[in-house]
Amino acid sequence: MSDVVEKTLSALPSLLSLDSQAGAGKLSPSSKLGNLIKGITELTSKHEEERLIKKELESIKEQVASPNTTMRQMKEIMVRAIYCEMLGYQASFSYIHAIKLAQQGSVLEKRVGYLAVSLFLNETDEFLLLLVNTVLKDLQSTNLIEVCMALTVVSQMFPKDMIPAILPVVEEKLTHPKEIIRRKAVLALYKFYLIAPNQVQHIHSKFRKALCDKDPGVMTASLHIYLQLIKENPESYKDLTGSMVTILRQVVGGKLPLDFNYHSVPAPWLQIQLLRILAYLGKEDQGTSEMMYDVLEESLRRAEMNHNITYAILFECVKTIYTVHPKSQLLEKAAECIGNFVLSPKINLKYLGLKALTYVVQQDANLALPHQMTIIECLDHSDVIIKRETLELLFRITNAQNVTVIVEKMLEFLRLTCDDYSTIDLVGKVAELTMNSVFSLGGDVMQPDIPNNFLRLLAEGVDNVEDRQLRLFAVDSYVSLLQGETAKLPQRFLQVISWVLGEYSYLREEESDPGSVMRLLARLLDQRHTSTETRSWVLGAMTKLCSSPVSVALARDVCERYFWLWCSFIPQVDSSLSFLDGYVSEALAAGAAPYKSPHQRQEDLVQEKALSLEPYGLSLPVSLSSCSITDRRSPTLLSMSSVSQCYFSSTTLKLEGVKRVWGKDGYLAQQQSAGETPTPLVELPSPLLSPQSPPSQTQKPSSGLEPDQEKRQLASSLFVGLGSHNSVCLVRFPSTVWLFIKHCQSANQSNVVKALFKPLRTLDHTTSNGNPHVEGTEQRVEAGGPLSLIRGNGMVAVVPPTHTQTDPQTQQDLHPAPALERPRDLPLTSHLPAELSGLARSEFTPLCSDQDSSLALSACRVYKEDALVLLVFISNNNDSALHQMALQLTCKELEVYIFQTGLNNKVPLFFSEIPVGRSRNQDRNTRGSSNRDLEKPRIFCENFRNSCMPLTVSTGDYGKMWLSFSHDLKQNLQLVTTEHQEPLTATLDALKGKLHLHVVDIIGSEGIVACRLLQGPGQGQPCLLHCRVHADSLAVWLRSPVPELPDSLLYHCQKALTET
Amino acid sequence: MQFMLLFSRQGKLRLQKWYVPLSDKERKKISRDLVQTILARKPKMCSFLEWRDLKIVYKRYASLYFCCAVEDQDNELITLEIIHRYVELLDKYFGSVCELDIIFNFEKAYFILDEFLLGGEAQETSKKNVLKAIEQADLLQECTFPV
């Protein structure tokens, strides 16, 4: 049938030429409407059409007003008026005449009159009131056609308030002998129910009668009412379930007259209506659902013909099956059915399949699994509608694992449809919501270009209202996020937050004080979980926000603390720092001193050098591989699989000879750094840092991350053959130096730090040939050494000796004469991260080095407020530069942070923190001194020395604490005597040095000292010492809230003093 | 169903039936936007559209587009069949219907539609019954007014 129709219709364009005789011939070619239509077809411009219609309307107006116009003419006029209205021209003057026509015309004219009324008027139109009497009259007419017309118009529109006037008559029609009247009456009542439910409440019993009408048409019509009723209140109609099931079974079984078949399918509309009703009835009701399982199954089975209408039934059936109380057998069949839809080559069915999947995956996400490939294909479908539905489906099955791809796809879609406001709004919000949950969920694991895409989405939008709202929404939600606990947020998310706040905080400027965002960012900066990379993003954001005095002050403060980070941040963006000029001059104008880095300040002490930023221009890019930061939050994970990695853009690592003797800060060292500064490092530009990136791009964080991506790709291709470890790190540079520091949970808990240097089989044969090292060479560092903190943990360093051929030019530059005489402590000091530089720390202690001392490891402990930080430095003692370096860290118990500052030849490499209040060491070894039994807590073990932290208190606080502590101990200790110090001072200094005590005050022959425990059972607990010189010994009085602590501390004091 | 529109490939409206009360201005805006959206779509694309908060089901028969707006929970496929059934009715009534039949006899097309859909719901799904009702009405008018 449809073929015929289409064929006929396709012949049409040729007919619709200028001369439309053929079509018009069917009607009356001479009729006025025919002329009008023909006239319009002949026109070429919209303007002409307007003129013609205007003329036509004038003529219509004239005619309807004329008393001589007959009703027959009026009918003809009304048709023309309808036509003009359809073309979009107002013919409101004719409305009243349409009503008149319905009132006064004969049946024929009445029909057109009613039609015109139903087309012209609205339910709310006051004109309709004029129609009520006419309708009432016609309803009571003996002419069947008139009654039908009246019911038809009533079912389409009727003034709500007038319903009571005609309701009895309509009700009466429910028992009319003619089924067409009954059917229309039912639909009229349905309409009344929709617009005024209260008015038809009393006739519910009559609805039931209609449901049982012998005519299927009337019954079908009554289902409209029941669908509505059951949808609103399923509980009241549960008793109908049986009837509905029976009806459906009869329909499916082909019991209806053949008239109701549609393409050989029995009454599909009725079936679908019934299925919908059953869905409402069976929803969350097992008993009711059980009644319908059979018939649902039968519907599924019967609807197997390959025609759209059977698919329609199947689709409804599947929906019902998934809505009612589940029955696994049916669900299986339904799922299969959905599969057929999804796999169908017909696009409409595919769409519905996706839609059905979207619906069902909310119950069981696994249902999407068999269709993965189809879904992926649909994602790239040329039809936007399919794409969108697919995204909707994906949105429902988003989890931590697949979030990456899904969000990516969503953003792709968003970019494609940026012209469609409603779409961008809708999906933008979806994405926005997802982004937040997703970032905090999937966070660091995801590809860096996803946040980039998101940021681009935010950035690229035109400056319209929607975009601003989206941005403001983002800013607001991020601000509130930052106000909460930020420790759990992944680094990438923090980076996104920083960027968004930096860019768009101005949008909310009106409602909050300008400093608030700045303060939030600063807080973020100070938190220790914040990675270096994130910090640089934060700083970037802060730069953008320096618009108010408050912000500038804050920024200045931050700036001074984090200059080392700036150094690594800025080159990535703009090596000339030009974009900072404004800010710097502003800050300078505001009275800030020109910035100097810690090590420059030292430099300046010696030789008042001008500020030179050149060395920083070459510092390392911040682009740490994301995994190096991400995995550290889970120490167990670290030990299991992941390995923290870092890598260096080697060209900046110029390693000069550094001896293993550690001196104190001194003149010579300063000379060294002075010598280094002017080194023309620019001659070795790192490919990453070369000024090829134009400043315009610099502010885009996205550009900053792209190399990262590149690296990943490179890394996978470069290190594919290595595979010795579960993760591959590094990047970009073929390995010449490998250094593995491994924490081996060795069983013997030996007090030896093993430093095992052995050659690594390098990829490059030529380099490994020249390898002077013998595998298995071991160097032992005795217990009690400075690294006792990681004592018991094995440490393995592997260094192949091959330092790449250094560019001769560079070698010369790096070879200033006095190099050999330089002490080394100072350079390392200057490489302490700024955060740590002001804190108390131990001396730098060499841990190990390879045989020719070309590479050395050294460590120092830094005592933070809340943690003990172990810093490990790798330094190159060789004169040749290290061009490549790869580092792999495995650490079970420590949180490892990786720092790279890339300053010349020292690489402060990583540090790990042991937060106070977390027990790290399960070592129950009680090698402590005194005659304690085995129950003695761990604080007596030798580790005490490393567990002790200075406690900074004022004398006043000391006094208060002293009085509140109950456990005390008195003992005499020997005094340390030196040449140029008072015995007391000398002794306390010695203790301070060895045990990291804090000397609170020295008054005369008395001194007060405080410390606290970093770890162990008494962690965080203080211990106070009161020392008094008595004769040639030191009378010490210790007090602590922990009983064993004074005893333990005393022992260590004794030991420390004996050692000196 | 919320409304039904018939329009030509040139974007000319041929029939409009609104089952929800909307102002004249809204109607015009909706039909203008929708006609544009649908005409922009390629022939092999999906017949369903999510448009604003509505679900649009459309089908093209030769030069005429039939377009229905339904509620979200409505069955798209059956709506498509409603369109088809309507075309079948027109075809039967006019005998190989073409666009010109609908242009010149649009009031008849409305009558058929009203007999098939009432208040936005399928009123009578039996083709025979619909046509019988129309014929009766037509017959009556011819008897009353012999030409």
Side-chain angles (χ1 to χ4, degrees):
Chain A
M1 171 64 80
S2 68
D3 290 345
V4 178
V5 177
E6 280 179 45
K7 226 176 270 170
T8 326
L9 285 170
S10 60
L12 201 120
S14 60
L15 296 172
L16 195 69
S17 55
L18 289 180
D19 191 353
S20 47
Q21 289 294 338
K26 283 193 172 180
L27 187 68
S28 46
S30 57
S31 77
K32 285 184 178 167
L33 175 70
N35 287 336
L36 172 65
I37 293 170
K38 265 191 282 176
I40 287 172
T41 344
E42 281 158 20
L43 295 178
T44 48
S45 73
K46 183 82 186 159
H47 184 66
E48 282 176 322
E49 183 190 294
E50 258 171 49
R51 229 176 24 206
L52 187 79
I53 301 285
K54 219 171 181 179
K55 220 175 98 196
E56 182 71 22
L57 285 175
E58 292 291 319
S59 127
I60 292 174
K61 202 171 186 175
E62 205 175 287
Q63 287 178 53
V64 292
S66 153
N68 300 328
T69 310
T70 64
M71 278 298 142
R72 192 170 176 193
Q73 285 168 322
M74 191 66 105
K75 180 199 126 205
E76 212 274 317
I77 291 166
M78 215 40 76
V79 172
R80 276 189 286 153
I82 295 174
Y83 190 77
C84 292
E85 281 253 326
M86 190 157 64
L87 289 177
Y89 300 90
Q90 192 83 17
S92 48
F93 60 85
S94 58
Y95 296 172
I96 185 74
H97 297 284
I99 291 172
K100 228 192 237 162
L101 189 66
Q103 271 170 0
Q104 299 165 8
S106 65
V107 179
L108 166 74
E109 294 139 10
K110 205 183 259 298
R111 199 180 180 201
V112 174
Y114 273 130
L115 176 66
V117 167
S118 72
L119 291 175
F120 289 156
L121 300 183
N122 226 314
E123 239 159 58
T124 49
D125 241 306
E126 286 187 0
F127 279 125
L128 269 185
L129 296 174
L130 302 171
L131 200 69
V132 175
N133 277 329
T134 319
V135 167
L136 198 58
K137 199 184 91 205
D138 286 337
L139 278 177
Q140 288 160 327
S141 160
T142 50
N143 186 331
L144 209 66
I145 304 294
E146 282 183 337
V147 180
C148 279
M149 287 190 298
L151 284 172
T152 303
V153 79
V154 159
S155 313
Q156 294 185 65
M157 58 176 66
F158 200 76
K160 198 171 155 184
D161 304 332
M162 299 311 283
I163 289 174
I166 58 162
L167 189 59
V169 194
V170 176
E171 259 184 86
E172 209 176 86
K173 302 295 174 207
L174 286 176
T175 52
H176 198 277
K178 275 288 187 189
E179 61 271 5
I180 185 171
I181 304 289
R182 295 203 299 275
R183 193 178 68 212
K184 284 181 192 280
V186 168
L187 283 171
L189 290 174
Y190 169 61
K191 179 72 182 174
F192 294 165
Y193 176 76
L194 286 182
I195 56 178
N198 297 333
Q199 312 233 17
V200 287
Q201 234 151 31
H202 62 286
I203 42 175
H204 278 193
S205 62
K206 288 186 177 163
F207 291 160
R208 292 217 176 203
K209 217 171 156 197
L211 182 65
C212 303
D213 199 289
K214 61 180 190 301
D215 180 68
V218 180
M219 187 262 290
T220 311
S222 74
L223 288 182
H224 293 304
I225 298 178
Y226 277 106
L227 179 67
Q228 199 63 32
L229 289 171
I230 292 171
K231 186 176 160 187
E232 282 160 18
N233 184 12
E235 292 310 314
S236 315
Y237 298 93
K238 295 281 184 188
D239 57 321
L240 281 177
T241 315
S243 320
M244 298 295 175
V245 168
T246 315
I247 298 172
L248 183 57
R249 185 167 294 129
Q250 284 176 356
V251 174
V252 171
K255 298 279 181 345
L256 286 188
L258 286 178
D259 278 355
F260 290 91
N261 279 13
Y262 177 86
H263 294 261
S264 326
V265 177
W269 280 274
L270 182 53
Q271 285 195 45
I272 284 171
Q273 200 77 356
L274 285 165
L275 286 169
R276 288 178 69 181
I277 290 177
L278 289 182
Y280 287 124
L281 286 171
K283 194 177 182 182
E284 289 155 12
D285 183 343
Q286 189 173 357
T288 315
S289 298
E290 273 163 5
M291 293 170 73
M292 54 185 78
Y293 287 150
D294 285 348
V295 76
L296 288 177
E297 200 181 339
E298 199 178 343
S299 291
L300 270 187
R301 193 160 42 80
R302 293 257 185 177
E304 53 201 9
M305 228 183 47
N306 194 16
H307 187 273
N308 264 350
I309 196 71
T310 48
Y311 289 125
I313 296 171
L314 279 179
F315 183 70
E316 204 61 52
C317 211
V318 167
K319 253 166 81 177
T320 305
I321 288 172
Y322 271 98
T323 311
V324 300
H325 187 87
K327 187 190 180 194
S328 58
Q329 197 191 342
L330 274 178
L331 290 181
E332 259 173 48
K333 286 188 178 160
E336 195 186 318
C337 210
I338 294 174
N340 292 339
F341 273 86
V342 174
L343 293 173
S344 167
K346 291 182 179 171
I347 191 166
N348 287 346
L349 295 186
K350 202 177 267 297
Y351 170 82
L352 288 178
L354 291 171
K355 206 178 128 174
L357 263 188
T358 309
Y359 183 71
V360 300
V361 289
Q362 292 171 57
Q363 295 177 27
D364 182 3
N366 292 332
L367 287 169
L369 289 179
H371 309 299
Q372 287 174 74
M373 283 326 289
T374 321
I375 293 170
I376 303 275
E377 279 165 28
C378 289
L379 266 182
D380 294 323
H381 203 281
S382 55
D383 192 344
V384 147
I385 299 296
I386 299 278
K387 260 191 190 175
R388 198 163 129 180
E389 195 57 43
T390 314
L391 286 177
E392 180 71 27
L393 168 63
L394 291 179
F395 179 60
R396 306 275 180 192
I397 56 168
T398 306
N399 59 36
Q401 279 100 54
N402 60 17
V403 89
T404 312
V405 198
I406 292 177
V407 170
E408 207 172 350
K409 289 289 174 189
M410 280 180 163
L411 295 171
E412 226 170 75
F413 180 79
L414 278 179
R415 276 197 298 278
L416 277 174
T417 54
C418 55
D419 52 339
D420 185 347
Y421 283 170
S422 61
T423 312
I424 203 170
D425 194 35
L426 180 85
V427 189
K429 271 172 192 149
V430 170
E432 171 68 47
L433 289 172
T434 332
M435 271 342 238
N436 288 352
S437 61
V438 152
F439 273 134
S440 27
L441 243 167
D444 293 333
V445 203
M446 64 182 148
Q447 301 285 321
D449 54 330
I450 291 159
N452 289 350
N453 285 340
F454 176 63
L455 296 183
R456 211 172 294 140
L457 163 79
L458 279 178
E460 275 176 1
V462 212
D463 243 0
N464 57 26
V465 182
E466 279 100 348
D467 279 317
R468 191 161 306 137
Q469 274 171 351
L470 184 63
R471 287 169 188 163
L472 189 60
F473 176 67
V475 169
D476 282 343
S477 65
Y478 289 160
V479 164
S480 58
L481 258 176
L482 285 191
Q483 279 160 349
E485 179 56 49
T486 54
K488 291 257 158 52
L489 297 176
Q491 299 299 322
R492 283 223 181 280
F493 190 30
L494 291 177
Q495 290 159 14
V496 168
I497 291 178
S498 312
W499 187 83
V500 169
L501 290 184
E503 283 292 307
Y504 302 117
S505 287
Y506 70 91
L507 289 171
R508 72 195 291 277
E509 213 65 276
E510 311 92 52
E511 42 191 290
S512 68
D513 78 301
S516 67
V517 174
M518 202 69 171
R519 269 191 292 276
L520 283 173
L521 289 173
R523 195 173 70 118
L524 202 57
L525 213 51
D526 291 339
Q527 278 172 353
R528 67 179 180 87
H529 0 253
T530 314
S531 76
T532 317
E533 190 182 2
T534 307
R535 285 199 170 108
S536 53
W537 283 71
V538 174
L539 287 170
M542 293 179 90
T543 334
K544 296 172 195 161
L545 291 174
C546 288
S547 54
S548 68
V550 194
S551 316
V552 172
L554 251 166
R556 194 159 50 228
D557 175 45
V558 166
C559 185
E560 282 179 15
R561 276 185 296 141
Y562 287 95
F563 191 84
W564 62 277
L565 233 176
W566 281 103
C567 301
S568 47
F569 171 64
I570 292 161
Q572 180 194 1
V573 219
D574 180 354
S575 54
S576 71
L577 298 180
S578 59
F579 73 98
L580 272 181
D581 288 349
Y583 166 68
V584 169
S585 56
E586 204 177 340
L588 285 175
Y595 178 77
K596 286 165 193 165
S597 77
H599 103 218
Q600 269 184 323
R601 271 176 239 154
Q602 281 163 345
E603 216 170 86
D604 288 355
L605 286 176
V606 192
Q607 39 189 104
E608 313 267 316
K609 283 196 70 106
L611 180 78
S612 159
L613 289 166
E614 240 174 354
Y616 300 111
L618 278 169
S619 57
L620 287 169
V622 194
S623 45
L624 294 176
S625 100
S626 61
C627 22
S628 69
I629 311 153
T630 55
D631 294 334
R632 72 177 164 72
R633 302 253 3 121
S634 152
T636 42
L637 193 74
L638 269 173
S639 69
M640 288 294 294
S641 63
S642 117
V643 173
S644 298
Q645 312 126 7
C646 74
Y647 45 84
F648 302 88
S649 68
S650 59
T651 45
T652 58
L653 293 176
K654 284 174 217 83
L655 304 172
E656 295 176 65
V658 176
K659 287 183 203 158
R660 230 179 306 165
V661 185
W662 303 100
K664 291 193 170 179
D665 301 5
Y667 181 72
L668 282 170
Q670 286 150 7
Q671 227 183 17
Q672 180 213 11
S673 42
E676 274 169 13
T677 319
T679 311
L681 301 169
V682 197
E683 288 178 14
L684 284 168
S686 147
L688 276 175
L689 304 174
S690 51
Q692 66 218 37
S693 56
S696 58
Q697 280 181 13
T698 54
Q699 296 286 359
K700 277 211 170 172
S702 46
S703 64
L705 278 171
E706 265 146 27
D708 205 350
Q709 172 76 352
E710 246 176 67
K711 282 177 192 167
R712 281 161 183 280
Q713 286 168 358
L714 262 164
S716 53
S717 55
L718 270 176
F719 292 87
V720 125
L722 266 176
S724 57
H725 290 271
N726 30 22
S727 70
V728 183
C729 12
L730 319 179
V731 180
R732 190 168 272 255
F733 318 107
S735 65
T736 44
V737 177
W738 287 88
L739 184 92
F740 294 101
I741 297 174
K742 222 175 201 172
H743 167 124
C744 310
Q745 192 69 22
S746 54
N748 62 0
Q749 297 282 333
S750 85
N751 293 321
V752 174
V753 174
K754 277 189 211 159
L756 176 67
F757 280 50
K758 59 180 176 188
L760 179 85
R761 215 163 292 159
T762 49
L763 296 168
D764 187 342
H765 282 286
T766 48
T767 50
S768 61
N769 285 345
N771 180 1
H773 298 283
V774 184
E775 189 161 339
T777 308
E778 273 192 20
Q779 221 177 352
R780 281 169 181 262
V781 179
E782 276 310 310
L787 206 69
S788 49
L789 189 100
I790 52 170
R791 177 181 309 141
N793 310 330
M795 188 168 168
V796 183
V798 188
V799 182
T802 48
H803 306 281
T804 32
Q805 317 74 334
T806 323
D807 178 17
Q809 174 66 42
T810 325
Q811 210 163 352
Q812 260 190 348
D813 288 337
L814 292 174
H815 231 318
L820 290 171
E821 295 161 36
R822 284 172 216 149
R824 301 191 204 104
D825 200 356
L826 180 67
L828 288 176
T829 312
S830 67
H831 294 151
L832 275 173
E835 298 174 308
L836 305 174
S837 60
L839 300 167
R841 59 171 171 83
S842 70
E843 285 181 356
F844 290 94
T845 322
L847 300 177
C848 54
S849 66
D850 58 353
Q851 276 188 341
D852 63 2
S853 307
S854 56
L855 259 187
L857 275 186
S858 39
C860 93
R861 293 185 301 277
V862 179
Y863 298 94
K864 274 174 71 175
E865 211 12 51
D866 56 345
L868 176 67
V869 179
L870 175 71
L871 274 162
V872 181
F873 289 77
I874 296 179
S875 45
N876 181 9
N877 298 345
N878 218 309
D879 292 328
S880 51
L882 270 184
H883 279 234
Q884 293 93 17
M885 182 152 176
L887 179 81
Q888 190 171 345
L889 284 170
T890 320
C891 194
K892 198 168 218 163
E893 289 180 355
L894 304 179
E895 289 184 23
V896 178
Y897 293 71
I898 299 191
F899 268 78
Q900 358 169 251
T901 58
L903 290 170
N904 299 319
N905 59 338
K906 304 308 172 302
V907 190
L909 238 182
F910 53 86
F911 67 94
S912 56
E913 289 190 4
I914 302 176
V916 173
R918 214 185 292 181
S919 174
R920 287 284 179 189
N921 196 342
Q922 298 308 311
D923 182 8
R924 283 266 159 191
N925 185 358
T926 51
R927 288 175 69 247
S929 62
S930 15
N931 314 317
R932 301 283 168 171
D933 56 47
L934 288 173
E935 291 304 305
K936 195 166 36 169
R938 217 186 80 248
I939 50 170
F940 298 103
C941 80
E942 210 171 317
N943 260 339
F944 178 87
R945 201 177 271 194
N946 302 307
S947 312
C948 192
M949 280 184 63
L951 175 66
T952 321
V953 287
S954 68
T955 314
D957 289 339
Y958 181 96
K960 280 178 210 157
M961 285 164 84
W962 182 262
L963 293 173
S964 65
F965 294 164
S966 47
H967 301 279
D968 64 351
L969 188 72
K970 289 181 193 172
Q971 180 90 37
N972 282 354
L973 296 176
Q974 66 177 98
L975 276 168
V976 176
T977 44
T978 50
E979 287 169 20
H980 39 258
Q981 268 186 310
E982 290 282 323
L984 178 63
T985 321
T987 312
L988 293 186
D989 276 356
L991 288 176
K992 183 181 168 189
K994 298 241 171 188
L995 294 171
H996 321 292
L997 309 178
H998 173 66
V999 180
V1000 182
D1001 209 352
I1002 298 179
I1003 309 153
S1005 61
E1006 288 183 47
I1008 48 176
V1009 180
C1011 73
R1012 65 186 167 126
L1013 267 194
L1014 176 67
Q1015 49 180 194
Q1019 52 198 206
Q1021 293 294 351
C1023 186
L1024 306 179
L1025 290 90
H1026 179 264
C1027 313
R1028 194 162 53 87
V1029 181
H1030 182 72
D1032 52 353
S1033 66
L1034 185 71
V1036 187
W1037 188 1
L1038 298 100
R1039 273 196 172 188
S1040 168
V1042 182
E1044 295 91 339
L1045 193 51
D1047 186 84
S1048 175
L1049 181 59
L1050 186 63
Y1051 163 74
H1052 284 285
C1053 290
Q1054 257 170 344
K1055 204 177 162 200
L1057 293 177
T1058 323
E1059 276 168 19
T1060 45
Chain B
M1 191 181 294
Q2 305 223 342
F3 57 83
M4 188 183 212
L5 300 176
L6 264 71
F7 54 89
S8 71
R9 213 164 35 172
Q10 290 77 32
K12 285 247 188 278
L13 211 54
R14 296 297 178 213
L15 203 93
Q16 53 171 343
K17 190 78 188 177
W18 301 84
Y19 297 111
V20 284
L22 286 170
S23 75
D24 199 47
K25 213 172 137 192
E26 284 169 313
R27 288 180 181 185
K28 274 183 191 154
K29 185 168 178 0
I30 290 175
S31 36
R32 197 174 50 235
D33 287 1
L34 207 51
V35 166
Q36 249 174 22
T37 311
I38 291 175
L39 287 178
R41 287 176 64 79
K42 296 191 182 74
K44 293 278 175 199
M45 284 183 168
C46 188
S47 299
F48 315 127
L49 268 183
E50 275 150 52
W51 187 80
R52 300 197 186 164
D53 53 341
L54 290 177
K55 197 150 64 183
I56 308 294
V57 178
Y58 73 93
K59 186 156 186 189
R60 183 180 159 182
Y61 287 89
S63 56
L64 261 192
Y65 283 88
F66 290 71
C67 155
C68 295
V70 293
E71 283 86 19
D72 192 51
Q73 67 272 21
D74 281 338
N75 190 314
E76 291 95 340
L77 282 176
I78 201 78
T79 312
L80 214 50
E81 296 312 306
I82 285 182
I83 292 176
H84 190 74
R85 176 41 64 100
Y86 181 48
V87 173
E88 281 178 6
L89 288 169
L90 290 172
D91 195 58
K92 188 94 177 170
Y93 181 80
F94 288 107
S96 289
V97 69
C98 72
E99 191 184 347
L100 289 183
D101 291 323
I102 296 166
I103 297 172
F104 285 100
N105 301 288
F106 64 86
E107 82 276 19
K108 298 252 167 61
Y110 275 120
F111 292 145
I112 297 172
L113 186 62
D114 281 349
E115 214 51 54
F116 175 46
L117 298 176
L118 195 48
E121 303 290 348
Q123 173 196 184
E124 178 55 88
T125 57
S126 155
K127 191 151 75 177
K128 199 181 84 188
N129 289 353
V130 175
L131 291 172
K132 206 168 81 190
I134 297 287
E135 273 160 25
Q136 273 176 355
D138 283 352
L139 206 67
L140 189 69
Q141 83 185 47
E142 257 149 54
C143 295
T144 327
F145 298 93
V147 185

